[in-house]
Amino acid sequence: MGTASIQNGETLDFSAAGEAGNYLVEAPSEENPSHPLSLVIDLHGLVETAAIQADYTKLGSYGATKGFITVTPQVNELVQHWITTPGSSDQKFLIALIDHLEKTLCVNGRRVYVAGYSNGAFMASALACSDASKIAAVATVAGIQATSGCHPSRRVPVIAFHGTSDPFVPYKGGIGPAAKKLPALNGNGSIGSHLNSKIDQGVQQTDLPIPVEEARWAARNGCSKSPKTSTVASGVSLIAYNCPGNATVELYRENGDGHIWAGSEAMVAIASIVGKTTFSISANQLIWKFFESHPL
């Protein structure tokens, strides 16, 4: 556990696994906390930067009021992305970053969490497999995955959010029409022109419907086979499984919502691209409540 002071909103360079990148740090104003703080890693989506992610989610400013540190990283690429394949250099970069942050900041090692949006949600899902011994719980927004061959060292709790009208990661499965128009990782053409090729391998989602992905995660955690569905707010349903050992699996289904972070004011301005945003729930509030309830 480190004790370095934090310059709020500072961007710091970081390199690991042969990759160069940086991370944005946001934290409570107390420079020398009297106790170790929770750490939340906030992962951006495809073609987006750490700065854009921080603006979309405002998780850092929210955390500053709730007493946790938020770190929003990126690897410097031609087209920003995360390769989620186990053992990828992106995974190694993030795992090394978590180790670095635990050594340099006043971090509670039992309360390290990962949240992600879109391609960042795919990576959060993947890290739950690769680094389960350090990551207490994950939050996926517009991109939960429970890929085959995942054998985490422990059951990892997950809270997920997904709009039923998502044009990028369709709720009913497949690759959305908007996603196919995104640039390929090598900058040559679009993802749609390279489907099932090695060029974009590791960033594309599976073709399974979102509730199936949740069910697969629940099965991995040894949860009940049938979830309970309840209405929690206008247009929002909670699909929750009963799981052993507090290994909770929850999905907030946002009816009519797009590829969005619930409660994000910044996403209203890009509604023509991502779709409708709900304000009947706040992803930040629900994520933090979930994380608080799920330490290692």
Side-chain angles (χ1 to χ4, degrees):
M1 182 182 69
T3 57
S5 61
I6 298 169
Q7 288 294 111
N8 215 13
E10 186 176 19
T11 297
L12 299 171
D13 291 333
F14 182 75
S15 297
E19 296 192 325
N22 56 66
Y23 61 92
L24 176 67
V25 187
E26 297 174 273
S29 57
E30 187 181 3
E31 286 194 13
N32 298 301
S34 56
H35 60 279
L37 302 179
S38 299
L39 170 66
V40 177
I41 307 295
D42 189 17
L43 301 178
H44 65 74
L46 193 68
V47 309
E48 291 160 0
T49 63
I52 289 174
Q53 176 71 0
D55 183 53
Y56 280 168
T57 71
K58 296 293 193 295
L59 196 58
S61 55
Y62 180 79
T65 68
K66 296 296 180 180
F68 64 86
I69 301 167
T70 304
V71 168
T72 312
Q74 71 176 51
V75 171
N76 301 328
E77 302 280 5
L78 176 65
V79 176
Q80 292 298 141
H81 65 270
W82 299 111
I83 299 293
T84 64
T85 310
S88 71
S89 55
D90 284 352
Q91 281 208 358
K92 291 177 180 178
F93 175 91
L94 291 171
I95 291 169
L97 175 61
I98 291 172
D99 288 341
H100 168 74
L101 295 170
E102 287 187 325
K103 291 174 183 176
T104 56
L105 301 179
C106 190
V107 171
N108 183 340
R110 295 184 63 240
R111 291 188 173 276
V112 176
Y113 306 98
V114 179
Y117 167 63
S118 192
N119 176 224
F122 302 157
M123 179 58 97
S125 299
L127 288 174
C129 296
S130 302
D131 210 22
S133 63
K134 290 187 177 180
I135 297 170
V138 300
T140 68
V141 177
I144 183 175
Q145 284 192 335
T147 51
S148 301
C150 172
H151 304 288
S153 57
R154 51 176 279 277
R155 299 181 176 103
V156 181
V158 61
I159 180 173
F161 301 80
H162 215 101
T164 60
S165 297
D166 189 326
F168 289 86
V169 185
Y171 188 81
K172 294 182 178 179
I175 299 174
K180 293 177 183 179
K181 296 177 183 178
L182 291 171
L185 302 191
N186 62 2
N188 183 18
S190 66
I191 284 179
S193 62
H194 298 290
L195 287 179
N196 302 317
S197 75
K198 290 185 178 180
I199 292 175
D200 295 314
Q201 193 171 14
V203 302
Q204 296 176 16
Q205 72 268 26
T206 61
D207 292 330
L208 296 175
I210 295 304
V212 174
E213 294 284 11
E214 185 199 14
R216 285 162 62 95
W217 198 302
R220 195 170 69 200
N221 280 11
C223 307
S224 60
K225 290 187 177 180
S226 299
K228 178 182 178 183
T229 302
S230 57
T231 300
V232 294
S234 176
V236 181
S237 300
L238 171 61
I239 304 171
Y241 284 85
N242 184 18
C243 306
N246 201 31
T248 317
V249 176
E250 297 180 352
L251 168 64
Y252 285 85
R253 180 181 65 206
E254 303 159 26
N255 298 321
D257 269 18
H259 195 63
I260 61 92
W261 189 282
S264 169
E265 294 281 357
M267 287 191 162
V268 175
I270 56 170
S272 61
I273 300 170
V274 297
K276 182 176 76 70
T277 300
T278 185
F279 290 89
S280 61
I281 59 170
S282 162
N284 288 351
Q285 289 178 6
L286 291 168
I287 287 170
W288 177 235
K289 182 180 179 182
F290 186 87
F291 283 171
E292 276 194 303
S293 303
H294 293 87
L296 273 178

